[in-house]
Each structure stands twice: as C-alpha cells, then as structure tokens.
Amino acid sequence: MTLVFFLLSLSLFISSSASPYPYGLSYHIDCGGPTDSVDPFNTAWLSDRFFTGGATSVVSEPLQFRHPQEKTLRYFPLSAGKKNCYIIPNLPSGRYYIRTFTVYDNYDGKSHSPSFDVSVEGTLVFSWRSPWPEDLARTGAYSDLFAFVSDSEADVCFYSIATDPPVIGSLQLIRVDPASYNAVSVGQNYILVNYGRFTCGSDQFGPGFSNDTDLFGRSWQNDKDVRSTDDDSKVRSLSTRNTIANTDQSPNYFPMKLYQTATLVDGKGVLVYELQVDAKLDYLLWFHFAEIDSSVTKSGQRVFDILINGKNVNRIDIFKEVGTFAAYSWSYTVKNLSSTVLSVKLQSVEGAALISGLESYALVPADVATVPEQVVAMRALKDSLRIPDRMGWNGDPCAPTNWDAWEGVTCHLNKNETALVISRIDLGSQGLKGFISDQISLLSNLASLNLSSNSLEGTLPSGLGQKSLNKLDLSDNQFSGSIPQSLATSNLQLVLMNNNLLEGQVPEELYSIGVHGGSIDLYGNKGLCGVPSLPDCPLFWENGGLSKKGKIAIAVSCVFVFCLLLLVLYIICIRRRRNDYDFGLPQDLMSLAAKRNRYQRQKSLMLLEMESQHAKALTPFTPR
C-alpha cells in the first residue's frame, strides 16, 4: 500500500512539475543511409528519403565517426543537375528548427572538397568554398537555423558551384514554438542562422553529443573557443545540481542544464567574447543567466554591464530580476555592423560578472519566392514535358535570387516586387518527348515560349494564349489537333508552328499577325486550311471539326427530316383510318345473306322436284 502511494505521488509530482512539449513533429534523415536506425542517444533515424536526385556514398574513414548517420552521405553530381533538394512534404505551417551535418572526408578519393551553396525555403543560408579547413573536411560540421514554413513543405536545396557535387551527411527538421526567439517582433520574414550557441562553464552537450535533452534539438558548444580576457587566471566555472526554475518553458524551452553552470571573472575583471559575423547582416544575441551562487542573497550584490562593440546596452542584476536558482534570459539585436568580429563584454559594476549561455543568430532576410500558382504550373510542366534530371528543375523555379533560375527559365519580380514570376521558357532542342500541360494557363506573365525541335505531341491547350505572350515557337514537333482560338486573342508578334501535325482552319486573327508587322510560319502542317497559301477548308469544316455554320446546317436538316417523318406518319395514319374495317360481317349483310341462302335452297328444291317429275314422265310404261 505504501509503495502504491509513493508511485502515485511521484506521478503527480512529475505531471505537475513539467509541462508536456506540444510540438512533437520531427524528421531525422540519415542521408545516404539505406535503413532506419537508432543512435546511442535513442534518436530514431530514417533511411534516406525526400531527395530529388544524386547518389550515395560512405566516408573514407568511417571508424572515426561515432554515429551511423555521420558515416554515410548523399552527393549530387552534375548529371543530376546544378540544383537538387530535399523536399519534406505534408508539414503544418509553423516555425521549424533545421539542422544539417556536412562532411567530405575524401569519400570520392579526389582530395578536393566541393564548393556549393545551400538554401532553405528559397533563401541562401550556407556557403561552402573549396578548400575546406582540413579538420572540417575530415570530421564534418553541424549547421542549424530557424525558419518558417507556410506552403506545407520544407525545401532544403543544394546548388553546385562549377562542377563540384554538393554533399550532405544528415538532415533534421523539428517543429518548434512559432513564438520562439522573438518571432513576433522579428517577424516571419527572417531566417535565424546560428553563428554560435555556447554553454558557459560546461562541455558541449545536447542531441548527438550527450544524453542531455534539448526539446528543440539544439546542441550547445563550450564557450572557451570564443572567450578572451586580459587575465585567464581570473576566469573560472561555477556549477550546481540544484533545480533551476523557469526552464523548459514556452516559447523557447531552454534546457535546465544550460543554467546549472556559469562562467565568471573574479574581482572586477571583464569577460570578453569575440563572435565571428557577416558585416552585411544584423544579429540577434540571446543572453542566459542564473544566480547559482548561494552566497548572493539580495539584489545589488552582483551587478554588471553588457557592452556590445563598445556600446553599453544594458545593466544586469540577476537576483533583482528572478532571485536565485531561476533562469533569466535577455536578447538584443545588433545592427549596422562594420566588422566581421562582434565584441561582447561583461564588465563588473559590483561583484563578479557571470553568464550561463550566449547565442548569436544572423537575421537573414527571407528571399522573395515564386508566386505559388506558378510553382504549381512549372512542376506540372516538368512532369508533362519530361524534363531530364540534368536540367535541375527542383525546388523553387526562381529562388533564391542569388542563383540562376531553372535551366531554360527566366524570372523577374512582379509589379509589387513581392514575388517572382516566370517570364520566359526556352527549351528548344532538349530532346523532350512529352506534351504541354493545361496548367500552363497559370503562367500569366509568360512572354516567350520556345519548345522547338523536340518530339512533343498531343493537342495545344486552350490556356496557351495568355495576354502576356508575344513569342511562341513550337516548330518541328508532333503537335496535332487544331490551333486554339485563344491564341488569336493574345498579343503575339512571332508564331512558329511549322512542321507539326496540326489541322483545321487557322483563325483569321492569328494569321493577321503577319499582316500587321509580325511573323507567322505554319508550313508543314498538311491539315491546316482557310488562309492564304493554305488550301481552302471543306464546306462547313474548320479547326479540325464542324464549323458553326456546319452545325447549324446539320441541325436544320435534322429538324426538316424529323418534320418530314412526322408528316409521313400522319398521312399513313389518316389513310388507315379511312380504309379501316372489321372482319366480322355487318348485321345488314348477314340478313341479306340469310335471305339469299333461303332463296337458293327453295330454288334448289323446286328444280329437284321438276327433275323428278320429268324423270317419271320419261320412264317406259310396263304392264302389270
């Protein structure tokens, strides 16, 4: 009974002291991995999936890596196109933590680490340039960021520089609180790229490095590599096993372990951190504090200033803010940088300066993306035209703007400069063997379309005649059927449809392009008719079928025939009524026949009697 009560009390304590994490959606993809696996820290890894192309390989020295997902990789040779992606589908809209592991380790035996770029949701976030530092090429590196996903799928894309094949060892995606890291004030139009996440006074910890949990999946590095002071002997670490209040709570869910250690400088020393940054970007700095020294019992005993690039931005008194053994965090945005090194100083006012953790995030403006319906249209065209892998039609057709658009595709900003639109498609002589999707009607900004000298077939979709279209080259294919009337209403100045299998009447408005200074070529379509230089169309025939006049004539003829049939049936019915009779004899005829029959019988009896008497008279007399 006592044991049951103890277990019940323990369960109540656990449920009341720790709120459940509400965002359980996550993907851990072992890039290049053939099977699902579980790492030593009980993280379930999925076999490689959601990629658009490429091939798999194994690092040259797999024994130097601790985890299975670090030993395999996927690479994207130029034959797979210059742009390839991992596209994770069916995601609810929200904010996601995305983490990649990138490694080379001479997997291809060429001793040449590759140059490539990485984008997330159409925004350039990482750039790798050859040669990599030797230790980085050998052991790899983790990179992470926070980004919003609003289109139900997360795109992580790789762009080859020159002929180098991009590589990736693993990809993780974890849904996090949408309000995390000041999302309300920062806005959804920024991606937070991690430039340093440090735990002060302890070794590196977090997923992949220790059993210590971080609900966001963040890893925390030791701060010693970015810390500098005038006198290192004054720097020391402080730690506690006491429970720290206000940890693992929304919206940031910072782990308790982060606040159980700290770095401080004895006396009036200054604690200095030098962070590498990109001077072209703004940075969000996140500071973590907890008063874990039990000798501090009131406010004013530990006070220090925070100076960023020499500017005093805040004065901190941890006890005054939250008391002892409680987590306290504070953030600051740094703008207008002039150097690639960002200096952070903690300068004592009273007592020793102390810090538990520090994070540095680049605020990368989200790049403009292609209008969603045009993305749908281009993906439909990719399928219908059977675009080969070498052309790299993956991810957003136009974004990032730092890269070239899909091969053969030209884009520009819309009028409001809020999105990208497709303005030109040039796919002549590419060996295409499909057809034109009806979804092309969604490309409302398309000005030029060249699909010449391929083996495309099928009919031309009616949505091909966008108002924006002024150049159309479909020559030397196998298109059949009629020319859609919609082309006659566009603003075309150049129309090349020669050497196809088109038929039917050519719209006069389309042919008039040549009359008004444009150019049109319909040669080599034996079935076309109805305009000069082409045969006349058969009577009542146009556009490969009956014309309106033909349909009207047939309709009138059908009505006439129908009326004629009704007339014939009417006449037959009238005549039948006039000659109709009953096979039973009328009563008058029956009485007349009966009288006639009696007369004939009487006449027959009289004749018989006369013959009998005449016979007696002629009989010879015989005496008795």
Side-chain angles (χ1 to χ4, degrees):
M1 183 67 179
T2 304
L3 178 61
V4 173
F5 178 80
F6 171 77
L7 292 176
L8 179 59
S9 301
L10 179 63
S11 64
L12 290 173
F13 170 77
I14 293 174
S15 63
S16 61
S17 62
S19 57
Y21 183 61
Y23 305 99
L25 176 63
S26 64
Y27 288 93
H28 305 273
I29 302 171
D30 179 6
C31 302
T35 58
D36 296 346
S37 62
V38 178
D39 69 13
F41 302 111
N42 206 35
T43 299
W45 288 86
L46 300 173
S47 59
D48 203 0
R49 62 192 68 187
F50 303 135
F51 50 83
T52 61
T56 63
S57 187
V58 180
V59 296
S60 295
E61 300 181 43
L63 294 180
Q64 70 177 325
F65 294 94
R66 300 172 58 192
H67 311 310
Q69 70 274 9
E70 296 176 336
K71 301 178 181 181
T72 60
L73 58 84
R74 175 166 290 277
Y75 66 97
F76 304 98
L78 203 58
S79 59
K82 292 185 71 68
K83 182 180 180 182
N84 277 277
C85 305
Y86 274 82
I87 303 176
I88 303 176
N90 304 320
L91 296 177
S93 296
R95 201 172 205 182
Y96 288 83
Y97 173 72
I98 298 174
R99 186 187 189 202
T100 63
F101 176 67
T102 306
V103 63
Y104 172 63
D105 193 39
N106 200 29
Y107 77 93
D108 55 2
K110 296 180 179 179
S111 299
H112 174 72
S113 51
S115 296
F116 63 94
D117 289 337
V118 182
S119 74
V120 170
E121 289 296 281
T123 300
L124 177 64
V125 290
F126 305 130
S127 293
W128 296 83
R129 293 296 179 265
S130 182
W132 302 3
E134 184 177 351
D135 61 335
L136 185 62
R138 179 178 171 82
T139 61
Y142 284 90
S143 307
D144 63 71
L145 53 83
F146 293 92
F148 279 94
V149 174
S150 58
D151 59 354
S152 77
E153 61 183 28
D155 298 354
V156 180
C157 297
F158 306 82
Y159 191 82
S160 175
I161 305 298
T163 59
D164 291 349
V167 293
I168 181 172
S170 69
L171 173 62
Q172 297 171 268
L173 181 143
I174 301 171
R175 190 182 182 194
V176 300
D177 195 309
S180 59
Y181 289 101
N182 282 353
V184 175
S185 59
V186 171
Q188 297 188 14
N189 295 323
Y190 287 91
I191 293 177
L192 271 60
V193 179
N194 174 26
Y195 268 65
R197 184 184 297 114
F198 306 103
T199 175
C200 302
S202 70
D203 293 330
Q204 180 168 284
F205 77 92
F209 301 100
S210 73
N211 283 318
D212 301 285
T213 59
D214 184 300
L215 294 176
F216 277 15
R218 294 162 293 206
S219 63
W220 299 81
Q221 301 169 269
N222 187 281
D223 68 335
K224 63 182 179 181
D225 292 334
V226 295
R227 187 182 65 219
S228 65
T229 59
D230 295 335
D231 188 354
D232 287 337
S233 64
K234 293 183 178 181
V235 178
R236 63 185 177 91
S237 299
L238 187 67
S239 63
T240 182
R241 292 187 178 182
N242 289 351
T243 298
I244 307 299
N246 303 328
T247 62
D248 283 327
Q249 293 186 348
S250 65
N252 296 306
Y253 292 90
F254 294 121
M256 182 182 296
K257 181 178 175 64
L258 175 64
Y259 298 94
Q260 290 178 318
T261 62
T263 295
L264 69 162
V265 181
D266 288 333
K268 295 285 186 177
V270 178
L271 191 60
V272 181
Y273 290 94
E274 293 184 346
L275 309 176
Q276 297 296 317
V277 293
D278 184 342
K280 298 187 296 293
L281 299 172
D282 296 337
Y283 280 77
L284 175 65
L285 299 181
W286 211 274
F287 297 83
H288 302 279
F289 308 102
E291 185 54 78
I292 57 175
D293 186 347
S294 57
S295 65
V296 177
T297 58
K298 61 181 180 179
S299 61
Q301 287 184 291
R302 190 192 306 278
V303 181
F304 53 90
D305 291 332
I306 296 179
L307 290 80
I308 297 178
N309 285 344
K311 179 182 178 182
N312 193 330
V313 296
N314 196 15
R315 177 164 289 185
I316 300 293
D317 185 336
I318 305 171
F319 190 97
K320 181 179 179 181
E321 296 292 342
V322 294
T324 58
F325 299 102
Y328 172 62
S329 60
W330 173 78
S331 62
Y332 182 79
T333 302
V334 186
K335 299 182 179 181
N336 303 318
L337 294 172
S338 58
S339 172
T340 58
V341 177
L342 193 157
S343 173
V344 176
K345 295 183 179 181
L346 277 68
Q347 184 170 296
S348 172
V349 175
E350 186 67 36
L354 174 149
I355 184 171
S356 295
L358 175 61
E359 299 176 83
S360 173
Y361 293 100
L363 294 170
V364 180
D367 208 342
V368 288
T370 306
V371 174
E373 57 264 27
Q374 297 203 13
V375 174
V376 171
M378 293 302 290
R379 289 180 179 176
L381 281 176
K382 175 186 176 180
D383 293 336
S384 69
L385 297 176
R386 302 178 191 173
I387 301 295
D389 292 342
R390 59 178 170 78
M391 299 190 73
W393 277 35
N394 300 305
D396 191 299
C398 305
T401 53
N402 312 69
W403 300 351
D404 295 331
W406 287 359
E407 186 174 342
V409 177
T410 303
C411 309
H412 66 259
L413 289 169
N414 62 3
K415 292 181 179 180
N416 299 326
E417 297 188 352
T418 57
L420 295 164
V421 293
I422 312 297
S423 60
R424 181 175 179 179
I425 299 176
D426 189 353
L427 298 176
S429 303
Q430 294 295 333
L432 308 180
K433 297 182 179 180
F435 62 95
I436 302 177
S437 168
D438 292 339
Q439 298 294 319
I440 197 171
S441 62
L442 298 176
L443 301 180
S444 56
N445 305 92
L446 186 64
S448 176
L449 176 63
N450 177 16
L451 300 176
S452 63
S453 302
N454 288 292
S455 298
L456 300 173
E457 55 187 15
T459 58
L460 302 181
S462 59
L464 189 58
Q466 299 93 332
K467 290 289 186 181
S468 59
L469 194 63
N470 55 58
K471 294 182 180 179
L472 178 63
D473 188 353
L474 304 179
S475 60
D476 298 297
N477 280 286
Q478 300 172 25
F479 290 116
S480 58
S482 60
I483 298 175
Q485 189 66 33
S486 59
L487 286 177
T489 62
S490 63
N491 295 312
L492 284 166
Q493 294 298 312
L494 174 67
V495 179
L496 303 178
M497 295 185 179
N498 50 294
N499 300 321
N500 278 285
L501 305 174
L502 298 171
E503 59 183 2
Q505 185 171 2
V506 177
E508 293 182 5
E509 298 88 343
L510 183 65
Y511 180 77
S512 67
I513 290 173
V515 178
H516 294 91
S519 179
I520 182 169
D521 188 350
L522 303 174
Y523 176 80
N525 293 279
K526 295 182 179 180
L528 290 179
C529 61
V531 296
S533 78
L534 295 177
D536 293 334
C537 293
L539 187 63
F540 301 139
W541 192 261
E542 65 180 8
N543 297 331
L546 285 171
S547 66
K548 290 183 179 179
K549 294 179 180 179
K551 293 176 181 178
I552 293 173
I554 290 177
V556 171
S557 300
C558 290
V559 171
F560 176 77
V561 171
F562 180 72
C563 293
L564 185 61
L565 287 174
L566 287 178
L567 180 61
V568 171
L569 290 174
Y570 176 76
I571 293 173
I572 291 173
C573 289
I574 294 299
R575 293 188 62 184
R576 183 174 179 181
R577 288 179 180 175
R578 290 179 178 177
N579 295 280
D580 198 10
Y581 60 90
D582 190 348
F583 283 97
L585 293 176
Q587 187 65 30
D588 293 342
L589 291 178
M590 289 180 64
S591 60
L592 181 61
K595 293 178 179 179
R596 185 173 182 180
N597 288 339
R598 287 198 302 272
Y599 171 77
Q600 291 293 339
R601 286 197 301 272
Q602 291 176 357
K603 182 178 179 182
S604 298
L605 290 174
M606 290 177 63
L607 289 174
L608 181 61
E609 184 177 357
M610 289 176 65
E611 289 176 357
S612 175
Q613 291 178 359
H614 181 71
K616 289 180 179 181
L618 295 178
T619 302
F621 175 76
T622 302
R624 296 183 176 182

